Amino acid sequence: MVLALALPGVAVGALAQPLGGLSPATANAKPPFLASQLVAQMQPTQVSMVSPELIADYHRKLKEYQEARAAFEQRASAYWASIAEKRHGRYAKRRDHQPIVLDDYVLTQPPVYTGPKRPANPLPESEPQEPRERKYVPVVTDLLQAAAEYFQWAPEQPANDMDFKRAYARFASAAGLTREQAVRVYAFETGGNGDHASQSGFHGTRAISTAIGYNQLLTTNTVELLAEQGEPLIKALTDKAAHLNGPQRRTMDTKIAVLKKMVALARSVPDDWSEHEKLGDTPRGWALHAMVLDIDVGPMLQTHKLLTSVIFAREKGYTRPLTAAELEMMNLTGDGTGLDMVTMPLAMREQVPTANFFQRSGYERNPVAIRHNTVAKLLAVTDARMDANSNLPGARDLAAAF
């Protein structure tokens, strides 16, 4: 979800744009045509409709815009290069067990473009540009269709969502997550009323993300969890099957066989986020993502997504229990980036801009991180949203399930 509040598009360890020069769009921009060149390309009726004075004024404004934008791009490129440089430095210091200090962060906010807007061209475009095709985001029906096609299987969905909440609460509690962590993350991720199949930004037939469920797992998350947690997942189902008989046992045996095939598929690519993302973007990856909807496996996947963050923090020497807001930062931004914020002393959180934890493209698409532009403010708005949404019926039901 990188913040919906959504930081999701933020890849773990993603870097800012490289230092040097202008952005590709600016660097490759063609110089504007002269007025005489434009007039030469126009039909007589078009020439009579647009005066040379208007064309000349357009080119003057366009030149001003391009110069202002180029100057801004130089400042922005230098800023985001310094963000990347500081991030690399923190990784190195953390690896060498050296303390992180305030100087290890960029303490100024990103530059904001305040120059003139691009002027409207008074002339019709000679070749109208094709609208850019939007990447298709699979929805739940696509996942179910893919699971049926590739595995001849359908996830066992609950008769009502309270059943799924109970299953999730049982597994999460046994794994060591607290009720407060689970409920407040749910309240933040789903708005306090989501069900096991809630998808990010879903409206009718379209969604803005593949994020689904109480923790809003992406297809990439599911591929990664199946690859890394395959044995515990299979063992949990096998242990459960030992206590079943008749049709229930046959259903569970079929599910175990499918899960084994899915784990094998997830492990058929290198254990790397980008490789998992590539698989997740295919119909076979969609089929794996359907497992999030299953009442037996879905709660385990949802729990492991949070539990891996708790374990990661503990392995890095952070022994204090994570607050729900801190856990959410790790859930949204990735464990390494999230821990960078979580381990920051309270006094530093007031001074460090949120831009330190983004690459440029993700930051500029994230109005919440821009508006709440320090670590302290971002954690505070996350807590406030959790407070408000925890009082809604879905969150109260999940709390009661614990």
Side-chain angles (χ1 to χ4, degrees):
M1 282 211 31
V2 206
L3 211 49
L5 212 206
L7 305 177
V10 186
V12 181
L15 300 181
Q17 293 184 359
L19 177 62
L22 309 180
S23 69
T26 303
N28 298 327
K30 297 179 180 179
F33 287 156
L34 298 175
S36 59
Q37 291 175 301
L38 287 169
V39 171
Q41 292 184 4
M42 296 167 61
Q43 299 297 324
T45 53
Q46 294 174 310
V47 173
S48 64
M49 294 172 61
V50 183
S51 70
E53 292 80 5
L54 186 59
I55 296 172
D57 184 59
Y58 163 70
H59 284 302
R60 178 183 59 78
K61 292 179 178 178
L62 181 61
K63 184 173 183 293
E64 291 175 354
Y65 164 77
Q66 289 176 326
E67 289 175 348
R69 193 75 202 184
F72 166 74
E73 287 295 337
Q74 287 183 323
R75 296 194 307 274
S77 293
Y79 178 87
W80 288 101
S82 67
I83 289 285
E85 183 180 359
K86 292 284 190 179
R87 182 185 294 118
H88 282 307
R90 293 197 302 275
Y91 288 165
K93 291 184 73 171
R94 203 168 274 119
R95 186 175 57 247
D96 296 336
H97 305 288
Q98 297 178 15
I100 306 298
V101 298
L102 200 57
D103 190 53
D104 291 316
Y105 298 91
V106 175
L107 300 181
T108 57
Q109 295 293 339
V112 177
Y113 178 72
T114 57
K117 294 181 180 179
R118 186 183 187 95
N121 191 342
L123 304 172
E125 298 288 342
S126 56
E127 293 183 7
Q129 294 192 1
E130 293 289 331
R132 187 171 63 180
E133 186 175 351
R134 181 186 299 177
K135 178 183 175 182
Y136 180 72
V137 177
V139 296
V140 168
T141 53
D142 296 311
L143 309 184
L144 297 175
Q145 183 177 339
E149 179 178 350
Y150 287 98
F151 295 98
Q152 296 75 53
W153 174 82
E156 184 181 353
Q157 299 195 63
N160 61 75
D161 203 64
M162 196 63 207
D163 289 342
F164 202 98
K165 285 184 170 67
R166 292 190 187 98
Y168 175 61
R170 283 195 301 272
F171 191 82
S173 181
L177 293 180
T178 68
R179 178 172 66 174
E180 180 183 11
Q181 287 172 328
V183 172
R184 288 175 70 80
V185 169
Y186 164 89
F188 179 86
E189 289 281 0
T190 72
N193 260 330
D195 62 28
H196 76 288
S198 293
Q199 185 166 1
S200 177
F202 178 74
H203 298 289
T205 59
R206 302 183 73 93
I208 64 173
S209 165
T210 61
I212 289 176
Y214 297 166
N215 301 341
Q216 292 289 280
L217 268 64
L218 299 164
T219 51
T220 312
N221 294 133
T222 298
V223 174
E224 189 154 278
L225 287 166
L226 288 172
E228 296 177 356
Q229 301 293 331
E231 282 84 3
L233 296 175
I234 293 168
K235 183 179 186 304
L237 292 194
T238 303
D239 290 346
K240 186 172 184 178
H243 301 284
L244 300 176
N245 296 293
Q248 288 184 320
R249 176 60 184 264
R250 289 192 292 274
T251 298
M252 183 61 72
D253 286 343
T254 299
K255 189 181 301 187
I256 293 170
V258 169
L259 179 58
K260 288 179 178 178
K261 292 178 182 177
M262 288 186 170
V263 170
L265 175 57
R267 291 177 174 173
S268 68
V269 300
D271 188 10
D272 177 81
W273 178 267
S274 63
E275 293 298 325
H276 292 156
E277 186 175 36
K278 290 177 186 176
L279 178 57
D281 280 341
T282 68
R284 291 191 306 162
W286 303 354
L288 301 188
H289 202 35
M291 196 57 93
V292 175
L293 306 171
D294 184 81
I295 194 168
D296 292 309
V297 182
M300 292 192 287
L301 291 173
Q302 297 279 344
T303 296
H304 277 298
K305 177 61 175 68
L306 298 182
L307 193 61
T308 52
S309 296
V310 173
I311 294 171
F312 180 87
R314 191 179 301 141
E315 289 176 345
K316 295 298 181 180
Y318 191 79
T319 56
R320 184 177 63 79
L322 294 168
T323 68
E326 290 172 339
L327 183 56
E328 181 60 27
M329 288 301 103
M330 298 181 71
N331 184 44
L332 287 172
T333 67
D335 290 336
T337 301
L339 189 64
D340 199 358
M341 286 189 267
V342 167
T343 56
M344 186 181 298
L346 295 178
M348 287 172 58
R349 293 181 182 184
E350 298 282 352
Q351 302 177 64
V352 176
T354 55
N356 283 275
F357 310 98
F358 288 82
Q359 68 179 118
R360 180 180 178 181
S361 59
Y363 183 84
E364 291 178 344
R365 292 196 306 267
N366 197 319
V368 175
I370 293 172
R371 190 178 309 117
H372 306 280
N373 59 8
T374 67
V375 173
K377 290 178 182 178
L378 188 58
L379 286 168
V381 73
T382 302
D383 259 327
R385 186 167 297 186
M386 288 177 169
D387 288 341
N389 293 346
S390 291
N391 293 317
L392 296 178
R396 290 203 303 269
D397 284 345
L398 181 57
F402 276 82

